[in-house]
Amino acid sequence: MKKNGFMATSLIYSFFLVFLMLMITLLAKDVNNRILLKAVKDEIRSGLEQDAEFVIDKLESKNYIVGSTVSFAGENWQVINDKGTSIVLILQRTLTRGEIVNALGSSIETTNTAYYGTCDATSCQVRSCREVPAFNINTPPVGIYGRENCFYDPRNPTQYIKASWLPTTTQVETQNFGQRIPSTIVMNWFQSHSGLQRALDLGKLNALAFDDGFLHYDASRKIYVRIPLQSEVTAANSSSWTSIGQPFHILSNMNATGQNQVHIYGPGLRLEFSTAIAFIRPVIEVKEG
């Protein structure tokens, strides 16, 4: 009887030890899987951060030569101006057809010449202001006509809406200001650019202060992207960066009697009607260090 009891107890302890070993093995395997999973996650996260679209390059504090190339937020940029504590940069390429169509949210450019000009697989030219379709002056349309963007009201051909960068609602409604097509595109492009948005979140971008020829925008407006100013494209040493993507839109407009005209660069500074087509090259200001 004692022998049978001893054997039964031995079997129970044996099964218990096997159970413990099995549980320890399973726990060790689970811990190992968690470690491997964490390593994979870290590797993926590191890969994303190193991917060109996610890289946030820290621009060191030094003297930058106008026209030189720097990498930032997954893009190549060219230096327009070194302010000492910050650098004004222009995108080294022009915005692509896909970027422009997505940012404008309009129909395919080949069938919508009111906004678009010459486009190919990689690049696209757009108008500064939408082209007004033909109409019969004797039967004017009802309501405000032609005010989606900054072009003239055909009911009053001498009245041109002022082609401004980013007017307020009040300015649009009471002072006949209109937002330029390049402004709409660049602002929406900036909002959808993951690298630039991360740079903004990390406090690496300066809010811009500038004039568009009609309106002044100070840093309190929190505008972080624009297109080149007239003073920038005519500055010394600008030839090294103005050779890309000509002609391209610049920000400075005509004032007073030239409300229907805007400036375009390439070749040289040109004064064109606001429906002229050109490429788009965004400008940002990045903090040094």
Side-chain angles (χ1 to χ4, degrees), residues 199-212:
L200 180 62
D201 292 339
L202 293 175
K204 293 184 177 289
L205 301 180
N206 279 343
L208 303 170
F210 57 93
D211 292 275
D212 64 14

Side-chain angles (χ1 to χ4, degrees), residues 62 131 135 149 160 164 175 203:
K62 67 175 188 178
E131 191 167 44
F135 75 102
N149 290 98
Y160 288 88
S164 51
Q175 299 184 42

Side-chain angles (χ1 to χ4, degrees), residues 13-287:
Y13 276 110
S14 298
F15 282 122
F16 180 68
L17 289 174
V18 170
F19 174 76
L20 284 179
M21 292 178 64
L22 181 62
M23 290 298 297
I24 291 172
T25 301
L26 291 175
L27 288 173
K29 186 176 181 180
D30 181 64
V31 170
N32 186 59
N33 287 340
R34 288 176 180 272
I35 293 173
L36 291 176
L37 181 60
K38 183 179 183 302
V40 171
K41 288 181 177 180
D42 290 342
E43 184 177 354
I44 292 174
R45 185 180 296 111
S46 176
L48 289 175
E49 290 177 350
Q50 293 301 319
D51 187 86
E53 191 174 72
F54 290 87
V55 167
I56 305 298
D57 292 331
K58 181 178 180 180
L59 300 183
E60 59 180 312
S61 297
K62 67 175 188 178
N63 293 327
Y64 288 86
I65 300 172
V66 172
S68 61
T69 301
V70 298
S71 295
F72 182 78
E75 300 278 5
N76 288 328
W77 306 80
Q78 288 178 283
V79 178
I80 295 180
N81 185 19
D82 184 351
K83 293 185 173 181
T85 58
S86 63
I87 315 166
V88 182
L89 304 174
I90 184 171
L91 193 63
Q92 196 173 27
R93 61 177 178 86
T94 62
L95 293 188
T96 65
R97 178 176 66 179
E99 288 172 324
I100 288 175
V101 173
N102 290 336
L104 191 56
S106 186
S107 57
I108 301 302
E109 64 275 7
T110 54
T111 60
N112 195 351
T113 57
Y115 298 99
Y116 302 98
T118 304
C119 296
D120 58 30
T122 59
S123 61
C124 191
Q125 298 185 39
V126 298
R127 305 183 190 281
S128 182
C129 301
R130 190 169 77 87
E131 191 167 44
V132 180
F135 75 102
N136 188 338
I137 192 65
N138 296 318
T139 57
V142 178
I144 297 177
Y145 182 84
R147 305 229 173 168
E148 180 182 354
N149 290 98
C150 48
F151 52 92
Y152 68 87
D153 185 343
R155 296 173 303 171
N156 183 7
T158 62
Q159 177 60 53
Y160 288 88
I161 298 174
K162 299 174 182 178
S164 51
W165 182 248
L166 192 61
T168 64
T169 301
T170 300
Q171 289 169 333
V172 172
E173 293 176 347
T174 63
Q175 299 184 42
N176 291 328
F177 287 100
Q179 183 174 348
R180 299 175 66 178
I181 292 172
S183 169
T184 302
I185 292 171
V186 168
M187 299 296 286
N188 290 340
W189 171 82
F190 177 80
Q191 290 295 328
S192 63
H193 194 291
S194 59
L196 290 174
Q197 286 304 300
R198 180 171 176 180
L200 180 62
D201 292 339
L202 293 175
K204 293 184 177 289
L205 301 180
N206 279 343
L208 303 170
F210 57 93
D211 292 275
D212 64 14
F214 295 122
L215 300 174
H216 174 72
Y217 306 86
D218 58 33
S220 66
R221 287 287 301 271
K222 301 298 183 183
I223 298 174
Y224 294 93
V225 66
R226 56 171 173 82
I227 53 178
L229 302 173
Q230 177 181 338
S231 59
E232 292 168 336
V233 300
T234 56
N237 300 322
S238 63
S239 59
S240 57
W241 58 267
T242 53
S243 60
I244 297 177
Q246 293 189 26
F248 56 83
H249 289 286
I250 63 175
L251 190 59
S252 307
N253 299 308
M254 285 292 292
N255 53 26
T257 59
Q259 292 178 8
N260 63 324
Q261 294 180 304
V262 295
H263 281 113
I264 288 175
Y265 189 91
L269 186 63
R270 295 158 45 189
L271 185 62
E272 300 284 353
F273 284 107
S274 59
T275 54
I277 60 172
F279 295 110
I280 299 178
R281 297 182 64 188
V283 171
I284 60 173
E285 184 175 326
V286 182
K287 297 175 182 177

Side-chain angles (χ1 to χ4, degrees), residues 1-14:
M1 183 68 67
K2 290 183 178 181
K3 183 178 181 180
N4 290 337
F6 176 78
M7 291 181 62
T9 303
S10 299
L11 287 173
I12 292 174
Y13 276 110
S14 298

